[in-house]
Amino acid sequence: MLKSIAGAVIGEVIGRKKGHGLLGAGIGLVATRIATRSIPGLLLVGGAIAAKTIYDKSKERKDA
């Protein structure tokens, strides 16, 4: 159950960044599989999503 919830959340976050396509769903599926198999994988995927979000927000501020 947690795996499907994590898959939905990660897939939705990646899909939002990539444009709700099949690519976003596929990357979300792979990221979920990595994140649910080990603690280091979870930290890697979570850290990458957090870093990308912070980068995008700082880029938005510079552009505005």
Side-chain angles (χ1 to χ4, degrees):
M1 184 166 142
L2 290 175
K3 196 176 203 179
S4 61
I5 292 171
V9 170
I10 292 172
E12 199 269 328
V13 168
I14 292 173
R16 211 176 332 136
K17 304 237 187 255
K18 295 287 184 183
H20 290 297
L22 188 58
L23 180 64
I27 293 172
L29 180 67
V30 171
T32 303
R33 188 160 291 211
I34 291 169
T36 57
R37 292 191 183 249
S38 66
I39 298 296
L42 175 65
L43 294 174
L44 177 70
V45 171
I49 291 173
K52 176 70 171 142
T53 302
I54 291 169
Y55 173 76
D56 287 344
K57 287 189 182 205
S58 69
K59 192 174 179 183
E60 262 182 33
R61 286 187 201 135
K62 286 181 183 178
D63 290 342

